[in-house]
Amino acid sequence: MEELSMKFESNEGSTNHYDERFFLIDEKICDLLNQRKEVLGKNTIFPPDEVISRLADEYDLQEEYLQSLFTTMAMEDSLKPMVVPVKFKKYVPVLKIYENDGVMYTVTFIRQYANASVLYLHMDWEEKEDANFYPDMLDLFINDTYFCHSEGGGGTTEHASHSYIISPALPDDLTGIELVFKEAGRPFVENPTGFEFTISLG
């Protein structure tokens, strides 16, 4: 099995009274969603609180409902079928490092499979004064050819590691491939930093 997908129960039981009027409205909603996606590209941008409040007042909607709506709109990539790497081929050595604010970010190698690549981002730091310090979760982007899915990770007080599945598989010759790591898009973060960095593989 190469792919896993999220399954949803059929809505057939609740669509008995669905008619052309609803379709025309739903079609417009989908068109607007697509327009917003085209403008934003790979960026995850949520309306600020004052915009949410204004829209809620103007259209007689609950602010929490709009927050949930915009959050769901940003989840499309996470709902795509997830590729499960199969048929391991080789390791491709990388050993690229980026340092920022006392944290060392390292990509040591990439696992190559027939249908995907798996990359690990390691983060190391000296013990901080803030005992609760932990580096931000980072999303990975390459270009429109590749879909990058974060598998999450874990760590200790001075080390963390996150893994990513990249599909289709990266070429064995990594010349020209750039990994862009960005602060993970989370809805309504109080103080987003906009932190991002690029690691060139070739």
Side-chain angles (χ1 to χ4, degrees):
M1 179 176 66
E2 293 193 2
E3 294 187 347
L4 295 176
S5 59
M6 186 173 289
K7 301 296 184 181
F8 295 94
E9 293 183 4
S10 171
N11 291 322
E12 287 302 319
S14 60
T15 59
N16 295 336
H17 303 292
Y18 189 88
D19 61 33
E20 187 67 15
R21 293 173 301 165
F22 302 142
F23 174 78
L24 293 175
I25 295 172
D26 292 343
E27 186 178 38
K28 289 179 182 178
I29 292 172
C30 291
D31 181 57
L32 290 171
L33 286 172
N34 195 52
Q35 288 182 42
R36 192 176 196 276
K37 184 168 62 174
E38 289 178 355
V39 171
L40 291 180
K42 293 293 184 180
N43 298 309
T44 301
I45 299 176
F46 298 93
D49 290 345
E50 58 269 22
V51 172
I52 291 289
S53 295
R54 191 175 73 199
L55 292 172
D57 289 340
E58 184 174 351
Y59 293 99
D60 192 25
L61 298 168
Q62 295 296 317
E63 291 187 22
E64 292 79 5
Y65 173 71
L66 289 179
Q67 289 174 345
S68 298
L69 177 62
F70 283 104
T71 299
T72 303
M73 287 163 57
M75 291 174 57
E76 184 182 10
D77 280 350
S78 65
L79 297 175
K80 289 181 178 179
M82 296 296 104
V83 172
V84 177
V86 295
K87 298 181 180 177
F88 174 76
K89 295 170 58 180
K90 61 189 293 187
Y91 292 99
V92 177
V94 174
L95 195 53
K96 296 286 184 175
I97 297 171
Y98 177 84
E99 185 176 0
N100 179 74
D101 197 23
V103 180
M104 189 80 72
Y105 300 87
T106 309
V107 178
T108 54
F109 62 85
I110 293 174
R111 296 177 189 265
Q112 291 288 66
Y113 294 81
N115 64 333
S117 299
V118 178
L119 177 149
Y120 297 88
L121 178 67
H122 302 287
M123 290 156 283
D124 295 273
W125 62 95
E126 292 298 318
E127 186 174 355
K128 301 280 187 179
E129 292 183 5
D130 179 2
N132 295 319
F133 172 81
Y134 193 83
D136 287 333
M137 290 287 293
L138 299 171
D139 288 331
L140 171 62
F141 301 91
I142 299 178
N143 55 42
D144 290 339
T145 300
Y146 300 99
F147 174 63
C148 306
H149 171 65
S150 173
E151 287 285 277
T156 63
T157 56
E158 296 181 1
H159 171 81
S161 180
H162 295 162
S163 62
Y164 305 86
I165 295 177
I166 303 166
S167 59
L170 293 168
D172 291 343
D173 180 359
L174 298 173
T175 302
I177 298 293
E178 292 190 337
L179 308 175
V180 180
F181 294 95
K182 297 183 180 182
E183 179 184 30
R186 292 171 293 177
F188 313 107
V189 175
E190 290 186 5
N191 298 300
T193 65
F195 174 60
E196 69 174 78
F197 64 91
T198 299
I199 289 180
S200 299
L201 296 183

